[in-house]
Amino acid sequence: MQVKYDKDVNSQLLADKKIVVVGYGSQGYAHSNNLKDSGFNVTVALRKGSSSEEKVRAANLQHQELEEAVKTADLVMMLLPDENQAEVYKDYVEPNLKSGASLAFAHGFNIHFNQIEPRSDLNVFMIAPKGPGHTVRSTYQEGSGVPCLVAIHQNYTGDAKEQAYAYASAIGGGRAGIIETSFKEETETDLFGEQAVLCGGTAALVQAGFETLVEAGYAPEMAYFECLHELKLIVDLMYEGGINTMRYSISNTAEYGDLTRGKRLVNETTKSEMRKILAEIQSGEFAKEYVDDCKNNYSRLQQLRKQDQDHPLEEVGSQLREMMSWVKKKPLVDRSLN
Ligand code: NAD
Ligand code: MG
Ligand code: MG
């Protein structure tokens, strides 16, 4: 697998192009500010009366209403929630985007699951940063970046791939590495990663550990530190040098416990459930379930979200973090900015 860096990329390819970023959420905030700081001509496209307008203005970014912005765009990056993209594409992008322009995504969901079937006279590609939007911005500002995946679905003008690499480099991806993949591979692995390991698996593991200690009569504060706070310290070690570096740093006692107990929790039964989760993604069953829930006013999502927001772990955590001023000194997520 070939990894490319800034030195391998011709970012001048986008120098005279009008780049339109649709949406100013987690990724929209990061892409538009990074593109601007890299010297590109970027316009944020907003809905009429958008609540983000104030924040966009405060960041000194150009902005236009959706339809107007798309009409003169050379490249449109769709950074709306996945479930809203098909409608916005159909109503505003498809009728207005000029022939030969580029349509870009940060995740393959809509193309891979056929929610959007783009006009054939467009380039269609993906630049998917492998990290949360807030990190795409904060790492860029620190001089580093988040690795990016690129994929090409339609190459109408012949330089779609070069444009995708140029865009990835402009948002900081070329500092960490840019890898080419397909819409299918990115979509399926991204959904699996967030469901089984990064978000679903980790959150459930932390909650179950916390509950086990509290139900056994230990103080919730202790349980919070053990099962959540320390997780970051452990993951930082893994991030720096893999599981080996983490095991080098922890005590022999911890390492023995890790090696003898970990696989009792995550075992063949867990892996067989992981394979089921992957199969639901591959068959489109998960995508259908999610899109149906969105159409039903996010009924299931809202109910489950509410349930977890009130978990005792969150309450004790917010009290404890008040005492750790450094946790909030340079927050990754600042809700006043985006
Ligand atoms: P988000 O929910 O944070 O933000 C979406 C923005 O779009 C919001 O500002 C919202 O107000 C706006 N919006 C919603 N409907 C709109 C409409 N009809 N017209 C105009 N604006 C509208 O979204 P996000 O998490 O940044 O996700 C954007 C894309 O990036 C998705 O494809 C997602 O899969 C992908 N992605 C996200 C992350 C992440 O860190 N959140 C990481 C990698 C890829
Ligand atoms: Mg994802
Ligand atoms: Mg210990």
Side-chain angles (χ1 to χ4, degrees):
M1 179 168 272
Q2 207 196 356
V3 185
K4 290 199 179 179
Y5 298 92
D6 286 335
K7 64 176 172 45
D8 311 312
V9 175
N10 173 18
S11 50
Q12 285 317 300
L13 203 62
L14 296 179
D16 55 351
K17 303 234 189 290
K18 176 179 175 181
I19 304 175
V20 169
V21 171
V22 188
Y24 197 69
S26 179
Q27 290 289 330
Y29 155 79
H31 289 222
S32 51
N33 283 286
N34 291 4
L35 286 163
K36 175 166 83 73
D37 290 350
S38 293
F40 293 94
N41 171 11
V42 56
T43 300
V44 181
L46 298 171
R47 278 175 292 191
K48 202 178 278 185
S50 162
S51 61
S52 302
E53 191 173 327
E54 213 33 60
K55 294 171 185 172
V56 171
R57 215 190 286 276
N60 278 322
L61 284 159
Q62 309 184 72
H63 65 90
Q64 283 181 310
E65 259 178 46
L66 205 48
E67 205 164 350
E68 201 189 337
V70 170
K71 273 184 184 156
T72 50
D74 296 302
L75 190 163
V76 170
M77 171 52 95
M78 300 286 278
L79 295 178
L80 309 169
D82 293 310
E83 66 275 17
N84 296 346
Q85 292 186 10
E87 198 182 321
V88 170
Y89 174 76
K90 189 162 65 59
D91 294 348
Y92 297 98
V93 179
E94 175 143 298
N96 293 308
L97 193 54
K98 65 189 180 198
S99 184
S102 297
L103 177 67
F105 297 87
H107 178 35
F109 192 96
N110 278 285
I111 295 292
H112 179 60
F113 292 119
N114 303 314
Q115 305 290 305
I116 294 179
E117 289 174 9
R119 261 170 35 203
S120 60
D121 62 337
L122 300 173
N123 295 319
V124 180
F125 50 79
M126 168 173 60
I127 301 99
K130 287 287 94 185
H134 295 93
T135 314
V136 174
R137 180 60 181 155
S138 64
T139 50
Y140 178 92
Q141 287 176 302
E142 287 159 6
S144 62
V146 166
C148 283
L149 301 179
V150 299
I152 313 303
H153 180 65
Q154 287 180 191
N155 186 359
Y156 181 74
T157 58
D159 64 353
K161 194 192 281 195
E162 290 71 21
Q163 285 191 39
Y165 274 102
Y167 188 102
S169 162
I171 61 169
R175 299 165 178 175
I178 310 168
I179 296 172
E180 190 176 348
T181 178
S182 63
F183 273 69
K184 173 179 158 59
E185 186 178 47
E186 186 277 339
T187 306
E188 293 176 354
T189 56
D190 184 78
L191 292 172
F192 178 78
E194 66 203 19
Q195 292 176 19
V197 182
L198 306 174
C199 312
T202 304
L205 185 68
V206 167
Q207 287 174 339
F210 176 88
E211 288 164 11
T212 304
L213 286 177
V214 172
E215 284 160 15
Y218 296 98
E221 291 79 2
M222 296 277 296
Y224 177 85
F225 280 126
E226 275 307 325
C227 301
L228 188 146
H229 182 81
E230 264 197 70
L231 182 63
K232 166 164 169 53
L233 314 178
I234 294 297
V235 171
D236 281 347
L237 293 166
M238 290 195 200
Y239 178 84
E240 189 175 290
I243 290 174
N244 283 343
T245 291
M246 183 274 281
R247 288 187 174 150
Y248 175 79
S249 168
I250 62 179
S251 67
N252 288 340
T253 326
E255 190 178 1
Y256 182 81
D258 158 355
L259 290 165
T260 55
R261 269 48 181 182
K263 288 193 171 64
R264 280 169 51 185
L265 290 172
V266 181
N267 51 28
E268 225 358 88
T269 314
T270 324
K271 270 184 76 180
S272 123
E273 200 58 38
M274 283 186 175
R275 285 189 285 269
K276 267 196 227 159
I277 288 173
L278 181 59
E280 286 165 14
I281 293 167
Q282 290 167 328
S283 69
E285 185 184 335
F286 170 79
K288 183 176 180 317
E289 177 187 322
Y290 177 58
V291 169
D292 285 350
D293 192 56
C294 298
K295 287 184 184 143
N296 191 21
N297 288 320
Y298 302 92
S299 139
R300 182 130 188 254
L301 177 63
Q302 300 228 43
Q303 182 209 333
L304 294 170
R305 189 183 268 164
K306 173 91 184 63
Q307 217 169 304
D308 264 22
Q309 271 167 357
D310 298 338
H311 193 284
L313 170 83
E314 300 305 324
E315 198 184 315
V316 64
S318 74
Q319 289 161 11
L320 291 171
R321 288 191 300 272
E322 285 303 316
M323 302 304 291
M324 297 185 280
S325 53
W326 63 91
V327 174
K328 285 192 175 155
K329 216 172 236 164
K330 242 189 113 208
L332 290 170
V333 177
D334 180 345
R335 295 182 193 215
S336 71
L337 294 178
N338 80 321

